[in-house]
Amino acid sequence: MWKRFFDWLDERLGFNGMYKALLDRPEPRGNWWNTLGSASLVLFLLQGITGIFLTMYYTPSPDHAYDSITYIMNDVAFGWLVRGVHHWGATLMVLVVFIHMLRVFVSASFKYPRELTWIIGVGLLLATLGMGFTGYLLPWNQRSYWATVVGTQIAGTAPLVGEFILRALRGGTDLSALTLQRFFAIHIWVLPAVMTALIGAHLYLIIRHGESHWPKQND
Amino acid sequence: MSEPISRRDFMKATVYFVGGLVSAAIGLPSIVYLLDPALRSEAGEAWVPIGKLTDMPEIGKPYPFSFTRVRINGWERTASTHGGFVIRRSEDPNDLLLLNSRCTHLACTVNWKEEEGIFACPCHDAGFDKEGRVTHGPPPRPLDRYENFRITEDGVLEILYKEG
Ligand code: HEM
Ligand code: FES
């Protein structure tokens, strides 16, 4: 019964072939370090889901951002859990993505034909850090406020364009409602869209080239 | 003797079982989280003063009143305005009719039209007579009444407002 149903679907969708190509790929001898990319992906999805859940209550306005976070933590059922997972997941993701990059470096997997995979990876690392930077401001408490003052100030020290970057980041010369709003937009729309595209390309290249072998003595 | 279960089937069953547990452990709290505001009970009641009876001397004349209730929704105080009409039916100070001015169709506010002698709803052209009965238009039932009211010692009319 189910088999006939799935066969019917598969005849039209062809997911079975896709499944074989995408997930049933040959891997070099298993190595736990090679799971870190998938771990990054899982964390990205987890951040996406918990983030969507948070926007159900969070409001990005200087008047209410802090109150809405307090509400999530103290009043909403399981709010502390959803925010906790998003908060610690963010830190963990930076860590995991970074170690993933280290393993790719150590195993020399960035070489031909995987240079593009590496370059896209660099984009993903920067985007991940950008998520951390923009997300940190959103609770609008003392710590996040001053961290963003300092962070944008650092960007402002770049020669020539620094002053302009500072104003573009803050949406003006001061840290204001405009800053909070644009950090929010970047955090939930711009960077997730960019990362989805980059991850798609990253994964395409990984499937295309297959997993690299760890270098041997005479490589 | 029953067939011994194969290693593969055992693994399959275990994966489905553990997977189901994990999905439930994540799924149920997620649903509760999303529906939290709808799951709260907002019951509560209060006596609300709406005016001195001596300011409503005329029998049969609808005197409008309104009051505002403030409630905390999430992280914000939300004020909502309610209103109605007091009609004295006789000299007896307790012989009062208190109509709610919220239209029973889709909740617009009705106004008293002296010339026509009806409460008119501007939204979909409905009318209610002095007793709150529908005279024309789409409302499915008469205007609601504030059934519970009292007159305090110093002659102030109060109604029992029920939240939720
Ligand atoms: C959001 C961040 C990232 C995600 C979701 C991600 C995802 C993945 C996945 C699923 C794999 C295959 C499994 C594995 O080899 O671990 C992979 C491989 C790879 N990643 Fe990433 N990655 C991310 C960041 C990075 C960064 C920061 C770099 C380097 C700058 C990088 C460079 C590579 C390369 C070169 C490979 C191929 C490795 C090989 O074939 O052995 N990735 N990535
Ligand atoms: S809301 Fe009053 S007639 Fe529709």
Side-chain angles (χ1 to χ4, degrees):
Chain A
M1 165 63 200
W2 281 115
K3 174 141 178 32
R4 275 188 47 207
F5 176 64
F6 281 121
D7 285 350
W8 185 92
L9 268 184
D10 191 50
E11 221 177 308
R12 278 136 255 259
L13 293 171
F15 275 179
N16 214 5
M18 236 144 98
Y19 170 80
K20 286 216 173 87
L22 294 183
L23 294 174
D24 236 0
R25 302 171 272 129
E27 287 283 312
R29 205 161 51 79
N31 180 321
W32 281 102
W33 295 105
N34 288 27
T35 61
L36 287 168
S38 304
S40 311
L41 182 59
V42 167
L43 283 167
F44 176 74
L45 297 175
L46 185 69
Q47 292 302 95
I49 294 166
T50 51
I52 289 172
F53 272 56
L54 286 175
T55 62
M56 193 64 80
Y57 296 104
Y58 173 77
T59 183
S61 111
D63 291 345
H64 295 304
Y66 183 76
D67 293 340
S68 64
I69 296 269
T70 311
Y71 181 70
I72 291 171
M73 293 301 282
N74 298 336
D75 290 302
V76 181
F78 298 109
W80 56 272
L81 184 62
V82 174
R83 176 158 185 244
V85 170
H86 198 75
H87 182 100
W88 292 106
T91 308
L92 191 63
M93 183 167 166
V94 173
L95 205 68
V96 169
V97 168
F98 196 77
I99 303 176
H100 168 59
M101 181 179 78
L102 282 185
R103 101 88 179 128
V104 170
F105 180 73
V106 169
S107 65
S109 309
F110 51 84
K111 293 184 182 174
Y112 175 85
R114 299 188 177 79
E115 303 95 323
L116 274 182
T117 319
W118 173 269
I119 290 168
I120 290 169
V122 173
L124 279 169
L125 178 68
L126 293 179
T128 305
L129 296 176
M131 288 297 275
F133 183 56
T134 50
Y136 202 84
L137 176 67
L138 301 183
W140 202 250
N141 55 29
Q142 286 293 326
R143 188 144 43 116
S144 66
Y145 182 92
W146 291 107
T148 307
V149 168
V150 172
T152 47
Q153 203 73 48
I154 291 172
T157 57
L160 298 177
V161 289
E163 169 68 19
F164 179 74
I165 292 175
L166 179 117
R167 275 191 289 124
L169 282 175
R170 290 186 179 175
T173 34
D174 304 318
L175 212 67
S176 68
L178 290 176
T179 323
L180 182 57
Q181 191 68 41
R182 60 179 44 224
F183 271 47
F184 180 66
I186 293 168
H187 189 78
I188 74 160
W189 297 122
V190 181
L191 285 178
V194 168
M195 290 178 80
T196 304
L198 290 180
I199 289 173
H202 203 69
L203 294 183
Y204 167 76
L205 289 172
I206 288 151
I207 288 163
R208 182 175 157 77
H209 296 300
E211 192 85 35
S212 66
H213 289 269
W214 280 71
K216 307 212 176 55
Q217 205 158 30
N218 47 0
D219 273 338
Chain B
M1 217 180 91
S2 60
E3 279 287 303
I5 179 168
S6 74
R7 180 200 284 252
R8 178 171 278 253
D9 282 346
F10 175 76
M11 283 306 286
K12 242 189 191 165
T14 310
V15 166
Y16 282 141
F17 180 69
V18 174
L21 280 187
V22 171
S23 311
I26 296 172
L28 295 180
S30 305
I31 293 169
V32 176
Y33 171 89
L34 291 177
L35 295 181
D36 180 76
L39 299 177
R40 285 159 191 271
S41 93
E42 295 175 343
E45 51 182 43
W47 284 99
V48 182
I50 60 175
K52 271 188 133 56
L53 209 56
T54 46
D55 294 336
M56 314 168 188
E58 228 177 286
I59 291 167
K61 177 181 160 133
Y63 290 99
F65 67 87
S66 68
F67 60 94
T68 305
R69 301 291 300 170
V70 176
R71 203 155 63 184
I72 294 176
N73 283 316
W75 50 91
E76 183 146 79
R77 299 162 70 78
T78 313
S80 53
T81 303
H82 308 265
F85 298 90
V86 182
I87 302 172
R88 297 186 72 154
R89 284 161 151 165
S90 69
E91 290 292 346
D92 179 357
N94 281 309
D95 191 12
L96 303 176
L97 175 62
L98 289 111
L99 293 174
N100 190 328
S101 58
R102 200 177 119 110
C103 179
T104 53
H105 181 222
L106 294 170
C108 291
T109 301
V110 300
N111 306 303
W112 174 244
K113 291 272 184 276
E114 186 65 52
E115 322 80 66
E116 300 151 63
I118 59 161
F119 296 101
C121 181
C123 291
H124 311 96
D125 191 26
F128 302 86
D129 69 12
K130 248 187 199 173
E131 289 287 315
R133 287 179 297 244
V134 182
T135 57
H136 58 275
R141 58 192 159 84
L143 288 177
D144 293 328
R145 300 174 175 196
Y146 293 100
E147 303 284 0
N148 295 302
F149 59 89
R150 68 182 185 193
I151 295 158
T152 64
E153 278 169 18
D154 21 346
V156 174
L157 175 59
E158 295 187 339
I159 56 174
L160 185 64
Y161 171 77
K162 292 199 172 83
E163 260 169 1

